[in-house]
Amino acid sequence: MKTVFAIDRSKLRWGVAALSLIGMLVFIALEAIFGVGFVQSALGAVVVLLSAGKGDLRSRFANMAIVTVVGGVFGFLSYVTGEYVWLAAIVLAVITYVTGLAYGISRNAGNAGYLLLLWSLAVLIGQSRDEYPAATSIAFLLGGVVAIVIVA
């Protein structure tokens, strides 16, 4: 039983953990200063940039455009179903299933699906703010467009 809980401390990546913590604190500070819409747009830009993949500009642009549109749709669906647990569970199950299918296409597509699943969870967590549902999708779409413009 000791080996189950054994941790090889030499494999821990303290720098990555520290950067993740700093990134989260920056997002919290930005939300406090600029509001949740800014944070959603920034998160959308980060998700789209991370899912761009490698290769020529045309294929990266296509990847980013697909993730931008799908992220907007997933964000909207997550927001409007967040009030009802059973609907939210169905939406998350579908997004998780689509993510699994995306891994069958390519690792990059699967990673993009996983990031969009995290985005949907973030929307569900923040859904209690009583904001306009379309604003969540628009914020993600805006962030995605900004990321595309930066890369292009």
Side-chain angles (χ1 to χ4, degrees), residues 26-53:
V26 166
F27 268 109
I28 291 169
L30 289 174
E31 181 182 359
I33 296 168
F34 298 110
V36 71
F38 176 82
V39 172
Q40 288 175 337
S41 294
L43 190 57
V46 168
V47 167
V48 169
L49 283 172
L50 289 175
S51 62

Side-chain angles (χ1 to χ4, degrees), residues 27-115:
F27 268 109
I28 291 169
L30 289 174
E31 181 182 359
I33 296 168
F34 298 110
V36 71
F38 176 82
V39 172
Q40 288 175 337
S41 294
L43 190 57
V46 168
V47 167
V48 169
L49 283 172
L50 289 175
S51 62
K54 296 180 177 159
D56 62 302
L57 186 61
R58 183 176 178 200
S59 63
R60 292 174 61 203
F61 178 77
N63 291 344
M64 293 170 70
I66 290 168
V67 170
T68 298
V69 172
V70 172
V73 171
F74 283 179
F76 181 78
L77 289 174
S78 296
Y79 192 95
V80 297
T81 61
E83 193 172 319
Y84 304 101
V85 174
W86 66 275
L87 280 175
I90 291 172
V91 167
L92 287 177
V94 168
I95 293 171
T96 303
Y97 182 72
V98 170
T99 297
L101 293 176
Y103 273 112
I105 296 170
S106 72
R107 183 178 171 105
N108 188 50
N111 289 343
Y114 180 71
L115 290 170

